[in-house]
Amino acid sequence: MKPQHHRYPYSAIVDRPSFDWPDGRRVALYIGVNHEVFHFGDGLGATLAPSQTEPDVMNYAWRDYGNRVGAWRMFDLFDELDLKATALVNAELVERCPRLVEACRDRGDEIAAHGMTNAEAQGAMNEAAERAMIERTTQALASMGARPRGWLGPWISQSEHTPDLLAEAGYDYLLDWAHDDQPVWFETRSRPILSVPYSQEINDIPAIVARQQEAEGFATMIERAVEQLLVDGRKHPVALGIALHPYVMGQAHRLPALRDVLTRLRERTDDGIWWTTAGEIADHYRRIESANDTSR
């Protein structure tokens, strides 16, 4: 037999029981903001352009701009539109940029864990090291009064043990697997954990950094995705996470395109969209399954 993950069975979305999101809505939409910290002169990091030397001052400073300026620009936009986000927080920010984590907490964003730092990928860790990293991350974020229930791995990196370790650490859901438009239960060695949709397409890093689009093209992707999901939602409920990074979409020349598309979506007169958080999606799906007596 070829290697398989054995986490979930195959299921075509058209064959599943139907349900509604709150108030009969059919598209659950949340904004996942990646608040990330990187190491100076070491480790992983997205790049705006190739660097000739180390330490890589240009790219380090570009990424740090998001924590110092870009995130605050995005907070202003979300306040204008009365939007709460799922804040995907590197735990090292608690020490290095505490004002940023406080702002996420105080504005009522859901705090989800995003590992210790985006300078490392947890999939390269052995099981003991990964368990310890998850524990440190959880404790650091809990110290801010916001114990996380959801997890997104730095660089969407998992080891073969990650779902097991997250379930054992008390996490309710994970976001790394962009394999479906609905939540999916994952088997682990202790208890099931829920996978909540998080897009690798409607995501500013792949769109703008990797594929070298600009903000207007990315905004069009967001709008077209939502339009199609509203069509899909007539047949089956769906969920979409819009993935953003403050050092990308928080730049002054990009934010206007994000403002325009989010404003248009917020002004829609139909009732098809449920604006929510990843954690609320997980909670509602769990309640639906419980009510149908099919939860695990």
Side-chain angles (χ1 to χ4, degrees), residues 221-250:
M221 289 175 60
I222 294 172
E223 196 156 24
R224 288 183 176 174
V226 173
E227 288 172 354
Q228 181 59 46
L229 289 173
L230 286 166
V231 173
D232 296 346
R234 299 169 190 165
K235 296 181 179 179
H236 40 254
V238 291
L240 174 67
I242 300 172
L244 305 174
H245 297 73
Y247 60 90
V248 179
M249 289 307 290

PDB file of all heavy atoms in Angstrom, residues 221-250:
ATOM      1  N   MET A 221      -9.952  38.176  -6.962  1.00  0.00           N
ATOM      2  CA  MET A 221     -10.021  36.771  -6.562  1.00  0.00           C
ATOM      3  C   MET A 221     -10.970  36.586  -5.384  1.00  0.00           C
ATOM      4  O   MET A 221     -11.783  35.658  -5.366  1.00  0.00           O
ATOM      5  CB  MET A 221      -8.626  36.262  -6.192  1.00  0.00           C
ATOM      6  CG  MET A 221      -7.677  36.078  -7.350  1.00  0.00           C
ATOM      7  SD  MET A 221      -6.010  35.597  -6.788  1.00  0.00           S
ATOM      8  CE  MET A 221      -6.355  34.049  -5.947  1.00  0.00           C
ATOM      9  N   ILE A 222     -10.867  37.466  -4.389  1.00  0.00           N
ATOM     10  CA  ILE A 222     -11.749  37.371  -3.225  1.00  0.00           C
ATOM     11  C   ILE A 222     -13.211  37.467  -3.650  1.00  0.00           C
ATOM     12  O   ILE A 222     -14.056  36.644  -3.282  1.00  0.00           O
ATOM     13  CB  ILE A 222     -11.418  38.484  -2.209  1.00  0.00           C
ATOM     14  CG1 ILE A 222     -10.017  38.286  -1.625  1.00  0.00           C
ATOM     15  CG2 ILE A 222     -12.469  38.528  -1.101  1.00  0.00           C
ATOM     16  CD1 ILE A 222      -9.549  39.448  -0.754  1.00  0.00           C
ATOM     17  N   GLU A 223     -13.514  38.484  -4.464  1.00  0.00           N
ATOM     18  CA  GLU A 223     -14.905  38.734  -4.842  1.00  0.00           C
ATOM     19  C   GLU A 223     -15.464  37.598  -5.690  1.00  0.00           C
ATOM     20  O   GLU A 223     -16.597  37.140  -5.488  1.00  0.00           O
ATOM     21  CB  GLU A 223     -15.004  40.062  -5.581  1.00  0.00           C
ATOM     22  CG  GLU A 223     -16.416  40.605  -5.690  1.00  0.00           C
ATOM     23  CD  GLU A 223     -16.441  42.100  -5.872  1.00  0.00           C
ATOM     24  OE1 GLU A 223     -15.445  42.679  -6.348  1.00  0.00           O
ATOM     25  OE2 GLU A 223     -17.476  42.710  -5.548  1.00  0.00           O
ATOM     26  N   ARG A 224     -14.680  37.109  -6.624  1.00  0.00           N
ATOM     27  CA  ARG A 224     -15.162  36.020  -7.471  1.00  0.00           C
ATOM     28  C   ARG A 224     -15.347  34.733  -6.681  1.00  0.00           C
ATOM     29  O   ARG A 224     -16.285  33.967  -6.933  1.00  0.00           O
ATOM     30  CB  ARG A 224     -14.199  35.815  -8.643  1.00  0.00           C
ATOM     31  CG  ARG A 224     -14.276  36.926  -9.683  1.00  0.00           C
ATOM     32  CD  ARG A 224     -13.371  36.676 -10.854  1.00  0.00           C
ATOM     33  NE  ARG A 224     -13.542  37.711 -11.876  1.00  0.00           N
ATOM     34  CZ  ARG A 224     -12.796  37.812 -12.965  1.00  0.00           C
ATOM     35  NH1 ARG A 224     -11.819  36.937 -13.184  1.00  0.00           N
ATOM     36  NH2 ARG A 224     -13.015  38.775 -13.844  1.00  0.00           N
ATOM     37  N   ALA A 225     -14.455  34.487  -5.734  1.00  0.00           N
ATOM     38  CA  ALA A 225     -14.602  33.294  -4.900  1.00  0.00           C
ATOM     39  C   ALA A 225     -15.904  33.351  -4.108  1.00  0.00           C
ATOM     40  O   ALA A 225     -16.656  32.365  -4.043  1.00  0.00           O
ATOM     41  CB  ALA A 225     -13.413  33.154  -3.967  1.00  0.00           C
ATOM     42  N   VAL A 226     -16.202  34.502  -3.512  1.00  0.00           N
ATOM     43  CA  VAL A 226     -17.424  34.623  -2.730  1.00  0.00           C
ATOM     44  C   VAL A 226     -18.653  34.480  -3.625  1.00  0.00           C
ATOM     45  O   VAL A 226     -19.638  33.818  -3.265  1.00  0.00           O
ATOM     46  CB  VAL A 226     -17.449  35.960  -1.961  1.00  0.00           C
ATOM     47  CG1 VAL A 226     -18.800  36.167  -1.283  1.00  0.00           C
ATOM     48  CG2 VAL A 226     -16.323  35.989  -0.927  1.00  0.00           C
ATOM     49  N   GLU A 227     -18.614  35.079  -4.802  1.00  0.00           N
ATOM     50  CA  GLU A 227     -19.746  34.954  -5.729  1.00  0.00           C
ATOM     51  C   GLU A 227     -20.004  33.486  -6.079  1.00  0.00           C
ATOM     52  O   GLU A 227     -21.148  33.028  -6.107  1.00  0.00           O
ATOM     53  CB  GLU A 227     -19.464  35.759  -6.994  1.00  0.00           C
ATOM     54  CG  GLU A 227     -19.530  37.264  -6.789  1.00  0.00           C
ATOM     55  CD  GLU A 227     -19.049  38.036  -8.013  1.00  0.00           C
ATOM     56  OE1 GLU A 227     -18.562  37.389  -8.961  1.00  0.00           O
ATOM     57  OE2 GLU A 227     -19.157  39.283  -8.007  1.00  0.00           O
ATOM     58  N   GLN A 228     -18.938  32.730  -6.369  1.00  0.00           N
ATOM     59  CA  GLN A 228     -19.117  31.323  -6.703  1.00  0.00           C
ATOM     60  C   GLN A 228     -19.598  30.517  -5.501  1.00  0.00           C
ATOM     61  O   GLN A 228     -20.450  29.629  -5.632  1.00  0.00           O
ATOM     62  CB  GLN A 228     -17.811  30.725  -7.230  1.00  0.00           C
ATOM     63  CG  GLN A 228     -17.914  29.253  -7.621  1.00  0.00           C
ATOM     64  CD  GLN A 228     -18.959  29.001  -8.697  1.00  0.00           C
ATOM     65  OE1 GLN A 228     -19.021  29.712  -9.695  1.00  0.00           O
ATOM     66  NE2 GLN A 228     -19.792  27.981  -8.479  1.00  0.00           N
ATOM     67  N   LEU A 229     -19.090  30.821  -4.333  1.00  0.00           N
ATOM     68  CA  LEU A 229     -19.516  30.088  -3.143  1.00  0.00           C
ATOM     69  C   LEU A 229     -20.983  30.360  -2.816  1.00  0.00           C
ATOM     70  O   LEU A 229     -21.683  29.475  -2.312  1.00  0.00           O
ATOM     71  CB  LEU A 229     -18.627  30.450  -1.960  1.00  0.00           C
ATOM     72  CG  LEU A 229     -17.193  29.904  -2.048  1.00  0.00           C
ATOM     73  CD1 LEU A 229     -16.349  30.450  -0.910  1.00  0.00           C
ATOM     74  CD2 LEU A 229     -17.166  28.381  -2.045  1.00  0.00           C
ATOM     75  N   LEU A 230     -21.461  31.561  -3.108  1.00  0.00           N
ATOM     76  CA  LEU A 230     -22.889  31.826  -2.911  1.00  0.00           C
ATOM     77  C   LEU A 230     -23.738  30.981  -3.857  1.00  0.00           C
ATOM     78  O   LEU A 230     -24.835  30.545  -3.503  1.00  0.00           O
ATOM     79  CB  LEU A 230     -23.178  33.312  -3.113  1.00  0.00           C
ATOM     80  CG  LEU A 230     -22.717  34.220  -1.968  1.00  0.00           C
ATOM     81  CD1 LEU A 230     -22.730  35.688  -2.393  1.00  0.00           C
ATOM     82  CD2 LEU A 230     -23.596  34.021  -0.734  1.00  0.00           C
ATOM     83  N   VAL A 231     -23.222  30.717  -5.045  1.00  0.00           N
ATOM     84  CA  VAL A 231     -23.908  29.790  -5.965  1.00  0.00           C
ATOM     85  C   VAL A 231     -23.845  28.376  -5.402  1.00  0.00           C
ATOM     86  O   VAL A 231     -24.850  27.664  -5.346  1.00  0.00           O
ATOM     87  CB  VAL A 231     -23.272  29.856  -7.363  1.00  0.00           C
ATOM     88  CG1 VAL A 231     -23.865  28.780  -8.275  1.00  0.00           C
ATOM     89  CG2 VAL A 231     -23.470  31.240  -7.976  1.00  0.00           C
ATOM     90  N   ASP A 232     -22.660  27.956  -4.988  1.00  0.00           N
ATOM     91  CA  ASP A 232     -22.505  26.611  -4.415  1.00  0.00           C
ATOM     92  C   ASP A 232     -23.398  26.427  -3.198  1.00  0.00           C
ATOM     93  O   ASP A 232     -23.935  25.329  -2.962  1.00  0.00           O
ATOM     94  CB  ASP A 232     -21.056  26.373  -3.998  1.00  0.00           C
ATOM     95  CG  ASP A 232     -20.083  26.381  -5.163  1.00  0.00           C
ATOM     96  OD1 ASP A 232     -20.534  26.308  -6.327  1.00  0.00           O
ATOM     97  OD2 ASP A 232     -18.864  26.458  -4.904  1.00  0.00           O
ATOM     98  N   GLY A 233     -23.538  27.509  -2.411  1.00  0.00           N
ATOM     99  CA  GLY A 233     -24.301  27.421  -1.181  1.00  0.00           C
ATOM    100  C   GLY A 233     -25.769  27.085  -1.376  1.00  0.00           C
ATOM    101  O   GLY A 233     -26.430  26.661  -0.433  1.00  0.00           O
ATOM    102  N   ARG A 234     -26.280  27.251  -2.568  1.00  0.00           N
ATOM    103  CA  ARG A 234     -27.670  26.847  -2.820  1.00  0.00           C
ATOM    104  C   ARG A 234     -27.817  25.336  -2.701  1.00  0.00           C
ATOM    105  O   ARG A 234     -28.911  24.833  -2.404  1.00  0.00           O
ATOM    106  CB  ARG A 234     -28.106  27.302  -4.210  1.00  0.00           C
ATOM    107  CG  ARG A 234     -28.074  28.815  -4.421  1.00  0.00           C
ATOM    108  CD  ARG A 234     -28.248  29.165  -5.887  1.00  0.00           C
ATOM    109  NE  ARG A 234     -27.978  30.585  -6.146  1.00  0.00           N
ATOM    110  CZ  ARG A 234     -27.772  31.087  -7.355  1.00  0.00           C
ATOM    111  NH1 ARG A 234     -27.818  30.297  -8.433  1.00  0.00           N
ATOM    112  NH2 ARG A 234     -27.508  32.372  -7.495  1.00  0.00           N
ATOM    113  N   LYS A 235     -26.728  24.614  -2.938  1.00  0.00           N
ATOM    114  CA  LYS A 235     -26.751  23.149  -2.862  1.00  0.00           C
ATOM    115  C   LYS A 235     -26.209  22.632  -1.534  1.00  0.00           C
ATOM    116  O   LYS A 235     -26.707  21.655  -0.989  1.00  0.00           O
ATOM    117  CB  LYS A 235     -25.925  22.558  -4.005  1.00  0.00           C
ATOM    118  CG  LYS A 235     -26.460  22.851  -5.391  1.00  0.00           C
ATOM    119  CD  LYS A 235     -25.583  22.187  -6.453  1.00  0.00           C
ATOM    120  CE  LYS A 235     -26.106  22.444  -7.852  1.00  0.00           C
ATOM    121  NZ  LYS A 235     -25.229  21.809  -8.888  1.00  0.00           N
ATOM    122  N   HIS A 236     -25.149  23.263  -1.042  1.00  0.00           N
ATOM    123  CA  HIS A 236     -24.529  22.797   0.198  1.00  0.00           C
ATOM    124  C   HIS A 236     -23.820  23.965   0.874  1.00  0.00           C
ATOM    125  O   HIS A 236     -23.269  24.838   0.201  1.00  0.00           O
ATOM    126  CB  HIS A 236     -23.541  21.651  -0.062  1.00  0.00           C
ATOM    127  CG  HIS A 236     -22.713  21.847  -1.288  1.00  0.00           C
ATOM    128  ND1 HIS A 236     -22.918  21.132  -2.459  1.00  0.00           N
ATOM    129  CD2 HIS A 236     -21.684  22.694  -1.550  1.00  0.00           C
ATOM    130  CE1 HIS A 236     -22.041  21.530  -3.369  1.00  0.00           C
ATOM    131  NE2 HIS A 236     -21.291  22.462  -2.854  1.00  0.00           N
ATOM    132  N   PRO A 237     -23.836  24.024   2.193  1.00  0.00           N
ATOM    133  CA  PRO A 237     -23.175  25.122   2.899  1.00  0.00           C
ATOM    134  C   PRO A 237     -21.660  25.024   2.738  1.00  0.00           C
ATOM    135  O   PRO A 237     -21.095  23.931   2.652  1.00  0.00           O
ATOM    136  CB  PRO A 237     -23.591  24.909   4.355  1.00  0.00           C
ATOM    137  CG  PRO A 237     -23.876  23.450   4.440  1.00  0.00           C
ATOM    138  CD  PRO A 237     -24.439  23.045   3.116  1.00  0.00           C
ATOM    139  N   VAL A 238     -21.003  26.178   2.709  1.00  0.00           N
ATOM    140  CA  VAL A 238     -19.557  26.233   2.480  1.00  0.00           C
ATOM    141  C   VAL A 238     -18.941  27.278   3.400  1.00  0.00           C
ATOM    142  O   VAL A 238     -19.638  28.106   3.993  1.00  0.00           O
ATOM    143  CB  VAL A 238     -19.231  26.556   1.007  1.00  0.00           C
ATOM    144  CG1 VAL A 238     -19.608  25.388   0.101  1.00  0.00           C
ATOM    145  CG2 VAL A 238     -19.942  27.830   0.554  1.00  0.00           C
ATOM    146  N   ALA A 239     -17.612  27.222   3.503  1.00  0.00           N
ATOM    147  CA  ALA A 239     -16.882  28.170   4.343  1.00  0.00           C
ATOM    148  C   ALA A 239     -15.627  28.617   3.610  1.00  0.00           C
ATOM    149  O   ALA A 239     -15.021  27.843   2.859  1.00  0.00           O
ATOM    150  CB  ALA A 239     -16.513  27.530   5.681  1.00  0.00           C
ATOM    151  N   LEU A 240     -15.230  29.867   3.844  1.00  0.00           N
ATOM    152  CA  LEU A 240     -14.028  30.421   3.229  1.00  0.00           C
ATOM    153  C   LEU A 240     -13.292  31.277   4.242  1.00  0.00           C
ATOM    154  O   LEU A 240     -13.890  32.135   4.896  1.00  0.00           O
ATOM    155  CB  LEU A 240     -14.383  31.276   2.014  1.00  0.00           C
ATOM    156  CG  LEU A 240     -13.213  32.043   1.363  1.00  0.00           C
ATOM    157  CD1 LEU A 240     -12.223  31.075   0.718  1.00  0.00           C
ATOM    158  CD2 LEU A 240     -13.725  33.045   0.328  1.00  0.00           C
ATOM    159  N   GLY A 241     -11.990  31.053   4.348  1.00  0.00           N
ATOM    160  CA  GLY A 241     -11.130  31.934   5.119  1.00  0.00           C
ATOM    161  C   GLY A 241     -10.306  32.794   4.179  1.00  0.00           C
ATOM    162  O   GLY A 241      -9.626  32.274   3.291  1.00  0.00           O
ATOM    163  N   ILE A 242     -10.368  34.105   4.328  1.00  0.00           N
ATOM    164  CA  ILE A 242      -9.547  35.034   3.557  1.00  0.00           C
ATOM    165  C   ILE A 242      -8.259  35.259   4.348  1.00  0.00           C
ATOM    166  O   ILE A 242      -8.283  35.828   5.439  1.00  0.00           O
ATOM    167  CB  ILE A 242     -10.288  36.364   3.336  1.00  0.00           C
ATOM    168  CG1 ILE A 242     -11.592  36.135   2.566  1.00  0.00           C
ATOM    169  CG2 ILE A 242      -9.391  37.362   2.604  1.00  0.00           C
ATOM    170  CD1 ILE A 242     -12.470  37.382   2.471  1.00  0.00           C
ATOM    171  N   ALA A 243      -7.145  34.793   3.815  1.00  0.00           N
ATOM    172  CA  ALA A 243      -5.879  34.814   4.550  1.00  0.00           C
ATOM    173  C   ALA A 243      -5.071  36.066   4.196  1.00  0.00           C
ATOM    174  O   ALA A 243      -4.755  36.293   3.023  1.00  0.00           O
ATOM    175  CB  ALA A 243      -5.078  33.557   4.243  1.00  0.00           C
ATOM    176  N   LEU A 244      -4.735  36.851   5.216  1.00  0.00           N
ATOM    177  CA  LEU A 244      -4.036  38.118   5.011  1.00  0.00           C
ATOM    178  C   LEU A 244      -2.811  38.214   5.917  1.00  0.00           C
ATOM    179  O   LEU A 244      -2.778  37.624   7.001  1.00  0.00           O
ATOM    180  CB  LEU A 244      -4.972  39.292   5.319  1.00  0.00           C
ATOM    181  CG  LEU A 244      -6.306  39.344   4.564  1.00  0.00           C
ATOM    182  CD1 LEU A 244      -7.157  40.488   5.088  1.00  0.00           C
ATOM    183  CD2 LEU A 244      -6.080  39.474   3.063  1.00  0.00           C
ATOM    184  N   HIS A 245      -1.823  38.980   5.455  1.00  0.00           N
ATOM    185  CA  HIS A 245      -0.615  39.253   6.218  1.00  0.00           C
ATOM    186  C   HIS A 245      -0.417  40.767   6.266  1.00  0.00           C
ATOM    187  O   HIS A 245      -0.398  41.413   5.205  1.00  0.00           O
ATOM    188  CB  HIS A 245       0.598  38.588   5.573  1.00  0.00           C
ATOM    189  CG  HIS A 245       0.515  37.085   5.527  1.00  0.00           C
ATOM    190  ND1 HIS A 245      -0.337  36.420   4.660  1.00  0.00           N
ATOM    191  CD2 HIS A 245       1.177  36.141   6.243  1.00  0.00           C
ATOM    192  CE1 HIS A 245      -0.195  35.116   4.852  1.00  0.00           C
ATOM    193  NE2 HIS A 245       0.710  34.915   5.797  1.00  0.00           N
ATOM    194  N   PRO A 246      -0.250  41.361   7.440  1.00  0.00           N
ATOM    195  CA  PRO A 246      -0.121  42.821   7.519  1.00  0.00           C
ATOM    196  C   PRO A 246       1.063  43.393   6.762  1.00  0.00           C
ATOM    197  O   PRO A 246       1.020  44.556   6.351  1.00  0.00           O
ATOM    198  CB  PRO A 246       0.002  43.073   9.025  1.00  0.00           C
ATOM    199  CG  PRO A 246      -0.747  41.940   9.652  1.00  0.00           C
ATOM    200  CD  PRO A 246      -0.431  40.758   8.783  1.00  0.00           C
ATOM    201  N   TYR A 247       2.136  42.617   6.569  1.00  0.00           N
ATOM    202  CA  TYR A 247       3.260  43.170   5.813  1.00  0.00           C
ATOM    203  C   TYR A 247       3.032  43.092   4.307  1.00  0.00           C
ATOM    204  O   TYR A 247       3.823  43.636   3.528  1.00  0.00           O
ATOM    205  CB  TYR A 247       4.591  42.514   6.209  1.00  0.00           C
ATOM    206  CG  TYR A 247       4.706  41.015   6.012  1.00  0.00           C
ATOM    207  CD1 TYR A 247       5.185  40.480   4.822  1.00  0.00           C
ATOM    208  CD2 TYR A 247       4.389  40.140   7.034  1.00  0.00           C
ATOM    209  CE1 TYR A 247       5.329  39.114   4.648  1.00  0.00           C
ATOM    210  CE2 TYR A 247       4.530  38.768   6.878  1.00  0.00           C
ATOM    211  CZ  TYR A 247       4.995  38.254   5.692  1.00  0.00           C
ATOM    212  OH  TYR A 247       5.131  36.898   5.536  1.00  0.00           O
ATOM    213  N   VAL A 248       1.921  42.459   3.900  1.00  0.00           N
ATOM    214  CA  VAL A 248       1.552  42.430   2.481  1.00  0.00           C
ATOM    215  C   VAL A 248       0.359  43.355   2.245  1.00  0.00           C
ATOM    216  O   VAL A 248       0.490  44.429   1.668  1.00  0.00           O
ATOM    217  CB  VAL A 248       1.254  40.994   2.016  1.00  0.00           C
ATOM    218  CG1 VAL A 248       0.846  40.983   0.540  1.00  0.00           C
ATOM    219  CG2 VAL A 248       2.480  40.100   2.214  1.00  0.00           C
ATOM    220  N   MET A 249      -0.821  42.963   2.719  1.00  0.00           N
ATOM    221  CA  MET A 249      -2.016  43.766   2.462  1.00  0.00           C
ATOM    222  C   MET A 249      -2.111  44.995   3.355  1.00  0.00           C
ATOM    223  O   MET A 249      -2.927  45.883   3.110  1.00  0.00           O
ATOM    224  CB  MET A 249      -3.274  42.913   2.609  1.00  0.00           C
ATOM    225  CG  MET A 249      -3.454  41.893   1.483  1.00  0.00           C
ATOM    226  SD  MET A 249      -3.391  42.591  -0.186  1.00  0.00           S
ATOM    227  CE  MET A 249      -4.931  43.500  -0.232  1.00  0.00           C
ATOM    228  N   GLY A 250      -1.267  45.084   4.375  1.00  0.00           N
ATOM    229  CA  GLY A 250      -1.251  46.275   5.215  1.00  0.00           C
ATOM    230  C   GLY A 250      -0.414  47.408   4.652  1.00  0.00           C
ATOM    231  O   GLY A 250      -0.345  48.490   5.250  1.00  0.00           O
TER     232      GLY A 250
END
